[in-house]
Amino acid sequence: MKRILVTGGAGFISSNMIRYLLRNTEHQVVTMDALTYAGNLANLADVLKHDRLRFIEGDIRNPLEVADALDGIDVIVNAAAESHVSKSIEQGGGEFVTTNVEGTQVLLDAMREHPIERFVPIPSPEVYGPAESAPRPAEHPHTTPPPPGPPGAPGAPSPVRISEPPPAATNGPQHPDMAHVVRSVVADD
């Protein structure tokens, strides 16, 4: 059994992933959400008391909160993102950069102190555009092989697997891509 951290867990896509994980696997799920405009605790209302779910109100931009959330975690599913294009146009892009770029960097930096098996980014159509198929073909522009190792150590084995982003149109529990996403999260390879 794995312990999976789902960031941005009170969002629409991630709350459906959490529900799917709880219903279809035996894994423990920890979710962390800053509960901004995109995070709504009502999205998790039916599972908040589930014995395999722990909710943390926290921000991926905060290294201390991330370090606390990573305790005992095997897999990170990063679904925390600012993704409303109209909001970025109206209010500027600063919040998008700090969450989507710097927040992701905080997660990656924290992984140096906490051994993590897998990091799975969850994109939205606003980030990557629509996916044509699941899984993406090798020639897709957003499909890249994992790096050979950490910078400065060519050919060295990477300590964590960064999984291919799942298709961008994963948007509900009955969506056919949800099973593909969960397979990329819990795969043992």
Side-chain angles (χ1 to χ4, degrees):
M1 176 170 41
K2 296 180 188 289
R3 289 195 74 215
I4 301 168
L5 172 65
V6 179
T7 65
F12 177 73
I13 293 171
S14 51
S15 64
N16 280 297
M17 172 183 279
I18 289 167
R19 205 169 281 104
Y20 189 98
L21 285 165
L22 292 172
R23 187 178 22 235
N24 296 295
T25 76
E26 295 182 9
H27 302 303
Q28 298 284 326
V29 180
V30 176
T31 187
M32 179 179 189
D33 199 298
L35 298 177
T36 62
Y37 70 94
N40 184 345
L41 212 46
N43 287 335
L44 293 169
D46 60 318
V47 294
L48 270 177
K49 295 185 190 257
H50 196 287
D51 61 340
R52 289 186 290 119
L53 177 66
R54 175 181 170 218
F55 176 79
I56 301 169
E57 185 172 350
D59 193 323
I60 65 168
R61 297 173 291 188
N62 183 317
L64 296 175
E65 291 177 357
V66 167
D68 179 54
L70 288 183
D71 186 40
I73 295 296
D74 300 303
V75 177
I76 297 173
V77 177
N78 184 22
E82 306 294 336
S83 64
H84 292 81
V85 173
S86 59
K87 185 175 187 259
S88 71
I89 293 168
E90 294 167 7
Q91 299 176 11
E95 190 174 354
F96 291 77
V97 171
T98 60
T99 299
N100 299 358
V101 178
E102 294 173 14
T104 300
Q105 184 64 49
V106 168
L107 289 170
L108 294 171
D109 286 345
M111 288 168 46
R112 285 190 248 156
E113 300 295 320
H114 302 273
I116 302 294
E117 295 174 15
R118 185 179 304 259
F119 182 91
V120 182
I122 301 293
S124 77
E126 293 176 282
V127 176
Y128 286 106
E132 295 177 6
S133 65
R136 288 190 172 132
E139 64 275 2
H140 190 283
H142 300 296
T143 301
T144 56
S158 181
V160 64
R161 177 165 181 209
I162 299 179
S163 294
E164 165 193 345
T170 305
N171 59 11
Q174 56 277 25
H175 194 283
D177 291 339
M178 187 60 75
H180 169 70
V181 172
V182 171
R183 281 192 304 274
S184 71
V185 170
V186 300
D188 290 323
D189 58 350

